């Protein structure tokens, strides 16, 4: 970009007051999510990257929710309220009234064109400033222009006007070059022409697009900048279009990661939010969703059938058929198949959370393992410890949650209950089937279960005639006819 362009004053106005009726939603259209950001969030991110500065966002429909969203994603943006949606021209006028000092280049963006790239926006501004145009319109040649404003050019190819479909003649409807809803204007002339807009059209609204016609009529230069990739200019009016945009963005994101050295086995079923990041030699197996601030480090394998939301996966880790939220998975750790990591799960290097295991606010030490069928809530497990199958960390007394701490290199038996708060020391063991309610000192064996007793002959007496009784009798008979000593390890028949 030239020095002239860099020094120029620039501002961004995003139009986001419309209801988006065809979304048929309680949520304002611009707040609908699309791979990690709202529609509005995508537009603001592109504007921030291309132009910087503080955007003015025109809000109206669902103003409270949109304003709340803005405080989260763009706290420096200014919200300008358009109480009644009287058209895109009216909306820009309200934004300019809120910023009377504004000069230089004003970029206006519809809030519902989320695929627009920063690079394209930069090119639009560059064209605008180098040609010293009064207005520059981002246009695109599309296969189906239905519903969009058409770019009308003179026989010599000069830009003449934007005509909305509902106001267009049959011949104009045949035009396939459309208005994307992204523009660069010179602030002073924009301000002047907005004051001259009429509502003399099919919708009785003030059209921003009519500013173009007024500028042309005044003999001022208007330029069309055609987007090289028409998909970037696609708007979103209903949920079917939203799904189309989602598919296009998925392809774009996947393509970029594959070119950066990530193996995506099935790009059609891999959904990576624009906010997620991956390192080289990561393998993403089919039907995997990487959402939010998820990061996957080098050589890790994620999927199939997994959803990771705000999860950090260490290098070389394996995460199979897993749902994980706000958790950290250490390098070379192993998770799943069929694991559920709830917020605050932290697996150190080489830790394992295996099959049908749920964890929450649990810190699992280096090389420690929870291999099978367990719930680990509010717990700390030391390095090298093994938790037996079907263990429950009983963290909830019905009123509050309590923690369990298990030391390093402990071996806890299968089917244990750790009734928190409780501690098991370093190197301690617990017996299978134990309900551990008292601390187990380091190196001790904690046993908490009834002593086993066998009632001899019970089945023959109490369940005569059953298959079990018959089997028991055959076993007793064969032992009676056995000549040699009892088999090694076998019990002597009871006297
Ligand atoms: C607009 C353009 C059309 C272009 C299309 C691209 C006009 C008159 N037409 O049409 O040429 O091809 O975008 O998608 O501008 N908005 C407000 N306040 C209002 C009205 C709209 O903030 O009073 C916002 C909406 O929230 C939306 C954007 O402006 O983000 C565009 O409005 P929309 O009604 O979708 O315009 P289109 O009819 O699609
Ligand atoms: Ca629209």
């Amino acid at each position: 970009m030239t020095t002239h362009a860099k020094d120029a004053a620039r501002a961004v106005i995003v139009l986001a007051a419309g209801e988006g009726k065809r979304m048929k939603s309680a949520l304002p259209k611009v707040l609908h999510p699309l791979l990690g950001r709202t529609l509005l969030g995508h537009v603001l991110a592109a504007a921030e990257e291309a132009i910087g500065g503080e955007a003015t966002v025109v809000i109206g429909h669902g103003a409270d929710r949109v304003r709340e969203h803005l405080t989260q994603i763009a706290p420096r943006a200014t919200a300008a309220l358009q109480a009644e949606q009287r058209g895109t021209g009216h909306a820009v006028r309200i934004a300019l009234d809120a910023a009377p000092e504004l000069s230089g280049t004003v970029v206006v963006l519809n809030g519902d064109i989320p695929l627009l790239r920063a690079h394209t926006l930069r090119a639009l501004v560059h064209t605008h400033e180098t040609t010293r145009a009064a207005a520059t319109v981002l246009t695109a040649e599309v296969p189906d222009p239905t519903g969009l404003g058409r770019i009308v050019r003179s026989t010599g190819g000069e830009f003449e006007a934007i005509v909305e479909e509902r106001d267009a003649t049959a011949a104009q409807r045949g035009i396939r070059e459309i208005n994307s809803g992204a523009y660069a204007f010179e602030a002073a002339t924009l301000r002047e022409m907005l004051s001259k807009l009429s509502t003399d059209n099919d919708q009785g609204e003030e059209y921003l697009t009519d500013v173009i016609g007024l500028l042309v009529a005044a003999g001022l230069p208007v330029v069309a900048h055609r987007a090289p990739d028409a998909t970037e200019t696609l708007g979103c009016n209903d949920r079917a279009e939203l799904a189309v945009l989602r598919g296009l963005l998925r392809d774009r994101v996947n393509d970029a990661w594959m070119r950066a050295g990530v193996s995506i086995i099935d790009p059609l079923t891999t959904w990576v939010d624009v906010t997620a990041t991956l390192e080289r030699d990561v393998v993403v197996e089919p039907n995997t969703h990487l959402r939010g601030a998820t990061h996957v480090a080098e050589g890790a394998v994620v999927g199939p059938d997994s959803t990771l939301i705000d999860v950090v996966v260490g290098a070389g880790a394996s995460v199979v058929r897993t749902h994980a939220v706000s958790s950290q998975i250490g390098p070379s750790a192993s998770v799943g198949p069929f694991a559920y990591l709830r917020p605050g799960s932290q697996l150190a290097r080489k830790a394992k959370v295996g099959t049908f295991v749920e964890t929450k606010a649990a810190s699992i030490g280096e090389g420690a393992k929870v291999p099978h069928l367990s719930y680990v809530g509010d717990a700390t497990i030391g390095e090298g410890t093994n938790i037996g199958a079907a263990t429950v960390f009983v963290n909830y007394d019905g009123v509050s949650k309590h923690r369990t701490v298990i030391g390093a290199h402990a071996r806890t038996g299968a089917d244990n209950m750790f009734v928190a708060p409780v501690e098991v020391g370093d190197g301690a063991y617990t017996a299978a089937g134990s309900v551990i309610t008292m601390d187990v000192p380091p190196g001790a064996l904690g046993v908490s279960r009834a002593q086993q007793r066998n009632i001899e002959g019970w089945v023959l007496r109490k369940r005569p005639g059953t298959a079990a009784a018959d089997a028991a009798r055959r076993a007793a008979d064969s032992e009676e006819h056995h000549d040699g000593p009892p088999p090694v390890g076998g019990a002597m028949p009871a006297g």
Side-chain angles (χ1 to χ4, degrees):
M1 204 132 294
T2 63
T3 324
H4 156 78
K6 206 184 285 171
D7 293 337
R10 292 186 191 136
V12 176
I13 295 171
V14 179
L15 307 185
E19 174 180 7
K21 271 199 190 66
R22 281 174 285 166
M23 295 297 280
K24 305 232 167 76
S25 177
L27 194 65
K29 176 165 84 177
V30 293
L31 297 191
H32 277 259
L34 184 69
L35 285 185
R37 291 193 181 114
T38 58
L39 300 182
L40 178 59
H42 282 288
V43 173
L44 285 170
E48 165 79 41
E49 190 186 333
I51 296 142
E54 290 138 58
T56 301
V57 181
V58 182
I59 63 172
H61 196 86
D64 291 345
R65 292 178 80 167
V66 180
R67 190 181 272 123
E68 166 66 20
H69 180 60
L70 280 176
T71 61
Q72 288 163 14
I73 64 157
R76 295 186 309 143
T78 307
L81 184 67
Q82 184 193 27
E84 271 178 84
Q85 283 72 65
R86 304 215 307 251
T88 46
H90 180 247
V92 173
R93 197 142 58 76
I94 282 181
L96 286 179
D97 288 349
E101 75 292 349
L102 222 150
S103 67
T105 300
V106 178
V107 173
V108 176
L109 300 169
N110 283 1
D112 64 349
I113 41 172
L115 299 194
L116 189 61
R117 283 185 165 100
H119 176 266
T120 304
L121 210 42
R122 239 182 256 125
L124 171 75
V125 171
H126 184 71
T127 299
H128 178 73
E129 291 176 353
T130 52
T131 60
R132 298 177 186 274
T136 306
V137 182
L138 185 70
T139 72
E141 187 88 31
V142 297
D144 177 12
T146 308
L148 297 165
R150 309 296 206 278
I151 304 299
V152 179
R153 291 173 182 267
S154 69
T155 40
E158 302 284 308
F159 197 123
E160 268 185 352
I162 302 173
V163 179
E164 292 307 295
E165 178 166 273
R166 50 213 311 169
D167 303 306
T169 64
Q172 288 168 337
R173 284 181 195 200
I175 298 171
R176 291 197 296 116
E177 188 182 7
I178 57 90
N179 167 27
S180 69
Y183 325 75
F185 291 98
E186 197 283 306
T189 42
L190 174 62
R191 221 183 271 279
E192 186 192 333
M193 295 307 171
L194 282 172
S195 68
K196 298 183 181 167
L197 283 183
S198 82
T199 53
D200 182 17
N201 53 55
D202 184 66
Q203 295 194 93
E205 291 185 347
E206 291 178 36
Y207 288 168
L208 175 61
T209 45
D210 285 349
V211 164
I212 303 297
L214 291 171
L215 290 169
V216 171
L220 291 162
V222 175
V223 173
H225 178 92
R226 201 176 297 193
D229 173 4
T231 66
E232 282 188 48
T233 68
L234 289 175
C236 173
N237 294 305
D238 60 30
R239 309 219 192 198
E241 288 178 6
L242 182 59
V244 170
L245 296 190
R246 190 172 286 119
L248 288 166
L249 188 55
R250 173 205 58 208
D251 291 347
R252 190 197 283 181
V253 169
N254 286 345
D255 204 61
W257 287 121
M258 288 189 282
R259 286 178 202 291
V262 172
S263 283
I264 297 182
I265 304 305
D266 183 11
L268 287 179
T269 64
T270 299
W271 300 86
V272 182
D273 279 359
V274 295
T275 44
T277 48
L278 298 94
E279 294 179 16
R280 66 177 186 176
D281 290 324
V282 162
V283 177
V284 184
E285 297 283 359
N287 196 23
T288 294
H289 303 244
L290 305 176
R291 294 173 47 190
T294 291
H295 176 75
V296 185
E298 189 166 335
V301 179
V302 180
D305 306 328
S306 295
T307 298
L308 273 50
I309 305 168
D310 300 328
V311 173
V312 176
V313 180
S318 151
V319 183
V320 181
R321 288 184 214 276
T322 291
H323 188 91
V325 184
S326 302
S327 293
Q328 289 187 15
I329 297 167
S332 304
S334 150
V335 180
F338 307 106
Y340 180 19
L341 307 187
R342 289 166 53 202
S345 298
Q346 296 193 320
L347 281 65
R349 173 182 298 275
K350 291 189 173 165
K352 173 177 178 143
V353 164
T355 310
F356 300 112
V357 175
E358 173 180 342
T359 64
K360 186 217 79 174
S363 156
I364 299 172
E366 182 163 340
K369 291 180 175 150
V370 188
H372 329 276
L373 298 157
S374 295
Y375 172 59
V376 184
D378 299 301
T380 301
I381 297 173
E383 64 166 38
T385 284
N386 190 82
I387 303 297
T391 291
V392 174
F393 286 68
V394 183
N395 58 333
Y396 187 44
D397 61 12
V399 179
S400 354
K401 304 283 170 66
H402 304 279
R403 281 195 83 77
T404 296
V405 178
I406 311 247
H409 301 288
R411 295 283 179 271
T412 70
D415 197 26
N416 276 192
M417 303 274 170
F418 293 106
V419 182
V422 74
E423 279 191 38
V424 175
D426 290 347
Y429 276 53
T430 59
S434 290
V435 177
I436 302 296
T437 55
M438 296 183 319
D439 291 353
V440 180
L445 169 67
V447 190
S448 145
R449 63 183 187 214
Q451 191 72 42
Q452 180 175 338
R453 67 190 179 113
N454 296 335
I455 304 171
E456 295 296 339
W458 186 92
V459 174
L460 286 175
R461 289 195 305 277
K462 299 290 194 184
R463 298 289 183 270
T466 62
D470 292 347
R473 185 178 305 283
R474 281 195 300 275
D477 287 352
S478 77
E479 278 195 28
E480 249 166 54
H481 296 125
H482 200 281
D483 293 324
V488 176
M492 290 291 285

